[in-house]
């Protein structure tokens, strides 16, 4: 994960809602201290806020404001942070969100559904 430890908020995604095409349209997330993202991948950042459900457009806004957004995957060995979420421009010009597709690993579709 290439997130720098700086002060300020970070957003931790814990669930998603998909549309009929499989695109993420809403996420469930909470605010965490950005410095906690620099901890080992199996460290679960402490919430600074209650979880909230927001539309993808709000996630895109945060990413464009350079606020980090990371998924939190649950597995048999516990929770692990994934790679940073990025904005992707689709062929029709619309924006979507996903973890960096150039790196192998889990995607937002692996998170629990809302």
């Amino acid at each position: 994960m290439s997130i720098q430890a700086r002060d300020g908020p970070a957003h931790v995604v814990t669930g998603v809602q998909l549309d009929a095409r499989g695109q993420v349209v809403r996420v469930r997330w909470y605010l965490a201290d950005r410095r906690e993202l620099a901890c080992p991948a199996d460290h679960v950042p402490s919430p600074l806020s209650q979880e909230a459900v927001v539309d993808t457009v709000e996630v895109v806004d945060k990413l464009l404001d350079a606020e980090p957004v990371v998924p939190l995957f649950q597995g048999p060995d516990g929770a692990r942070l994934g790679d940073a979420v990025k904005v992707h421009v689709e062929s029709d010009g619309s924006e979507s969100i996903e973890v960096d597709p150039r790196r192998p690993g889990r995607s937002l579709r692996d998170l629990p559904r809302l």
Side-chain angles (χ1 to χ4, degrees), residues 39-83:
C39 295
D42 60 350
H43 171 77
V44 177
S46 303
L48 298 175
S49 70
Q50 299 238 350
E51 284 188 314
V53 175
V54 299
D55 291 330
T56 302
V57 68
E58 189 169 336
V59 179
V60 170
D61 288 345
K62 297 299 182 188
L63 291 167
L64 294 176
D65 287 341
E67 292 185 28
V69 177
V70 296
L72 181 65
F73 297 109
Q74 299 292 334
D77 297 333
R80 295 189 66 82
L81 291 173
D83 288 325

Side-chain angles (χ1 to χ4, degrees), residues 22-41:
Q23 296 293 319
V24 178
V25 293
R26 300 181 87 199
V27 303
R28 180 178 57 232
W29 67 4
Y30 65 87
L31 276 175
D33 187 320
R34 188 181 304 206
R35 291 173 292 196
E36 287 198 52
L37 300 184
C39 295

